Amino acid sequence: LSSTRRLLSHVPKGFKALKKSAPATTYSTSPYGHDLYGGPGGDQKWRATTILTIRKDGEVFVVGDGQVSFGDMRLKPNAKKVRVIDSGRVITGFAGATADCLTLMERLETRLEQRPGQLMRACVEMAKGWRTDKYLRHLSAMLVVVDKDVSLTLTGNGDVVEPHDGVIGIGSGGPYAVAAARALMDTDLSAKEVAVKAMTIAADMCVYTNHEFVIEGFTKEDIEQGSKGEEKK
């Protein structure tokens, strides 16, 4: 016992202080959501989602898979992670805890009601509240939001990012979908065809992504008429 006390007496005081002040949780900054995004991460992981957005030749489409996974189990094959809000003027796709995602989409709809036709401003205000609000900052989710003019990624870190090439991918299969989509952007395929083909490649590679796609988009005709096109595969 006395020898143990002598050993402990030689431990640097700085080491003890560091050990006491070490944070209990960590926060992930993974751009594709391999850990819970925008909230406490630790060893928790969500692996249930791939959402892809393609904007090309005046059209924009958002595609999401339907698989919900918990660890090594597939809980559901046909979840709808792509939804239309703001009376058909905005399309959203989400990755993360379902309740958190729906809560954030409700907040976004409220912002859109306050800022009609100003998607960028509404998203910036929501991201600010998401990061600073004591309750919202713990919500673990990531959103893709598009209208006829702009495509945006929203995160719990306060980021509102517009892609330079019209391609956004989030979720566990996001990197595969984005890589495939960028390789197809210079082809003669339409925006919808690029989105479906890239998502198919991602689903073939990512075990947490299936082929039950939900597709929402704005075609050229939709944009001219001010309405939304809705399709399912």
Side-chain angles (χ1 to χ4, degrees):
L1 181 60
S2 59
S3 60
T4 302
R5 288 176 178 173
R6 285 197 298 271
L7 287 173
L8 291 175
S9 65
H10 292 290
V11 176
K13 293 183 178 180
F15 177 80
K16 292 182 180 179
L18 178 62
K19 186 175 181 180
K20 290 180 180 179
S21 62
T25 58
T26 59
Y27 292 84
S28 169
T29 56
S30 167
Y32 297 106
H34 293 284
D35 296 311
L36 291 178
Y37 207 101
D43 295 329
Q44 294 176 295
K45 296 182 180 180
W46 50 264
R47 297 167 166 167
T49 305
T50 297
I51 304 294
L52 177 66
T53 299
I54 301 295
R55 186 178 295 273
K56 181 182 180 185
D57 298 332
E59 298 182 332
V60 59
F61 284 88
V62 182
V63 188
D65 79 301
Q67 180 169 316
V68 177
S69 304
F70 182 77
D72 297 329
M73 295 186 297
R74 296 179 181 177
L75 295 182
K76 187 176 181 179
N78 60 344
K80 187 174 181 180
K81 308 166 192 173
V82 178
R83 305 194 178 194
V84 181
I85 61 174
D86 195 31
S87 302
R89 292 186 291 266
V90 175
I91 301 172
T92 64
F94 60 82
T98 302
D100 293 354
C101 293
L102 296 179
T103 299
L104 291 168
M105 283 199 294
E106 290 176 359
R107 294 298 183 106
L108 178 59
E109 284 193 273
T110 301
R111 293 292 185 180
L112 288 170
E113 290 174 359
Q114 298 170 352
R115 307 290 184 185
Q118 303 180 60
L119 180 61
M120 178 71 79
R121 186 169 182 178
C123 288
V124 170
E125 291 179 355
M126 199 204 80
K128 179 181 177 181
W130 187 357
R131 180 169 177 80
T132 58
D133 187 273
K134 291 182 179 180
Y135 167 70
L136 293 180
R137 71 175 62 171
H138 296 293
L139 299 183
S140 301
M142 191 171 184
L143 300 179
V144 170
V145 185
V146 307
D147 65 3
K148 61 185 180 64
D149 298 315
V150 65
S151 302
L152 301 170
T153 305
L154 280 69
T155 77
N157 292 328
D159 301 317
V160 180
V161 183
E162 181 177 9
H164 69 283
D165 56 0
V167 179
I168 299 175
I170 63 173
S172 57
Y176 312 120
V178 168
R182 286 176 174 165
L184 296 169
M185 288 293 282
D186 293 333
T187 66
D188 295 331
L189 297 176
S190 66
K192 179 183 175 184
E193 291 171 334
V194 170
V196 172
K197 192 170 184 64
M199 275 292 292
T200 301
I201 293 172
D204 290 340
M205 298 181 69
C206 178
V207 297
Y208 301 106
T209 303
N210 67 10
H211 293 82
E212 297 290 331
F213 301 152
V214 174
I215 306 172
E216 304 279 3
F218 296 107
T219 65
K220 292 179 181 179
E221 292 77 13
D222 294 329
I223 292 173
E224 291 173 358
Q225 297 173 6
S227 60
K228 178 203 69 65
E230 177 179 346
E231 301 178 53
K232 291 185 180 180
K233 181 183 175 185

